[in-house]
Amino acid sequence: MLTEGSAKHSQQTLTIRLGLLSLSHFLLRQRIQRVQPTYLIFGGHVEVHKYRYLYFMVLFTVYILILCSNSTIVYLIWKHRDLHEPMYIFIAALLLNSVLYSTNIYPKLLIDFLSEQQIISYQACLVQFYMFYALGGSEFLLLAAMSYDRYVSICKPLQYPTIMTKRTISVFLALSWLVPACEVGGTATLTANQKLCGFTLKVIFCNNSIYKLHCVPSRAIYIYGLFILLNVAYVPMIFILFTYAKIFVIAYRSSKEVRTKAAETCLPHLLVLINFSLLCTYDVILMRLESDIPKIAQLVMTLQLILYHPLFNPIIYGLKMKEISKHLKRLLHLDKKN
């Protein structure tokens, strides 16, 4: 009996020790996972090992063009006093936003083309995701501020100096960057707390495709995402369209001079709005149809999000805005002369 009891006691002790060992191993593994970063793979590249240098040279050239074209217009607005008006200040802010938007994506993309593996840490992916949507939201709010500026200028010209003061401009600029930054920050925080069951993104940079890696779809993220979409995209877009409709109605009833002013200053803003809205629609379509379209078509659609818009803005404002175009021609003429 004593021998049997001792055997049972030894067996229980061994079971407890094995349980404690398993628990320690599990806790150690969890601690290592917290310390070591989780890496995600970009799976949206097409034959990157074969065409890496071609991809690199094309996108590097585009990135330099984006930096130079946007910076040139910003420099002209900063340098010339006759461009120190609310409309041009908002244009400079919009172009600066395009530079930040591109810089969030292009450097990492260029590094990936020259790397053996196209990977990114989960934390860095969340930062890129955050910047991508925060700066995208700022674009809509800056365009809304510009539409209000045009409305006051054309429909209430006598009150324009008292309404569009330096304080008003500063408030509009601050809200255009802070509101999306705070709201998208909430989404990024919720996303960071989700458990991942997948580690391959079917894109070439971090966007809302990151949601497809979650083990369980979050209803809170979905509802909050809709709130942000309404708040920083749809509401500003409706406000812009309503404002420009009112401007064109008033301009149509006014003199030819007013109609010309409305067309010259409002048309570039509308073209930029339409272009950016279409690209944002692309982003939503890519999220919904990610698994239903060929990889090459998906890559082409993704590249449109980062190629066209940052180059489109300086071309439109440089060519269509009369005062900016005048100073740009003078700058190019001086460069040729020298």
Side-chain angles (χ1 to χ4, degrees), residues 86-289:
M87 178 177 67
Y88 300 112
I89 292 170
F90 287 130
I91 289 173
L94 195 72
L95 299 180
L96 180 60
N97 198 71
S98 293
V99 170
L100 296 173
Y101 180 88
S102 301
T103 303
N104 178 50
I105 296 169
Y106 276 85
K108 171 59 180 164
L109 201 54
L110 292 170
I111 290 169
D112 284 343
F113 289 145
L114 299 180
S115 303
E116 288 301 318
Q117 290 183 309
Q118 291 72 47
I119 60 173
I120 188 171
S121 70
Y122 186 48
Q123 291 78 8
C125 188
L126 287 172
V127 172
Q128 192 177 61
F129 163 88
Y130 167 75
M131 295 296 291
F132 180 72
Y133 289 107
L135 292 169
S138 297
E139 190 95 9
F140 279 111
L141 293 179
L142 285 168
L143 287 169
M146 292 163 80
S147 69
Y148 178 73
D149 170 73
R150 291 300 82 210
Y151 169 75
V152 177
S153 174
I154 294 168
C155 303
K156 300 180 180 181
L158 297 177
Q159 300 174 42
Y160 184 77
T162 56
I163 295 175
M164 296 306 295
T165 60
K166 287 183 179 179
R167 182 185 177 87
T168 305
I169 296 166
S170 300
V171 169
F172 280 168
L173 290 175
L175 289 176
S176 296
W177 276 307
L178 288 176
V179 170
C182 294
E183 291 186 355
V184 177
T187 304
T189 303
L190 290 171
T191 305
N193 293 326
Q194 292 294 304
K195 187 178 178 183
L196 297 179
C197 282
F199 298 92
T200 301
L201 291 163
K202 295 181 180 180
V203 288
I204 57 175
F205 62 89
C206 296
N207 57 8
N208 55 19
S209 296
I210 200 172
Y211 297 149
K212 294 197 172 184
L213 303 182
H214 296 164
C215 296
V216 180
S218 172
R219 191 173 181 83
I221 291 177
Y222 178 75
I223 294 171
Y224 187 63
L226 283 178
F227 167 75
I228 295 174
L229 189 64
L230 288 170
N231 203 27
V232 300
Y234 288 141
V235 172
M237 196 186 302
I238 291 168
F239 174 79
I240 293 166
L241 294 174
F242 174 78
T243 304
Y244 283 132
K246 202 164 184 180
I247 289 172
F248 288 132
V249 168
I250 292 172
Y252 180 75
R253 295 172 181 171
S254 303
S255 63
K256 185 180 178 181
E257 185 183 346
V258 174
R259 287 198 295 273
T260 304
K261 182 182 177 182
E264 284 180 355
T265 59
C266 296
L267 187 60
H269 303 326
L270 277 174
L271 289 173
V272 170
L273 173 67
I274 292 166
N275 177 61
F276 191 66
S277 301
L278 289 174
L279 293 178
C280 290
T281 306
Y282 262 151
D283 187 54
V284 175
I285 291 171
L286 279 174
M287 173 65 177
R288 299 297 176 192
L289 303 178

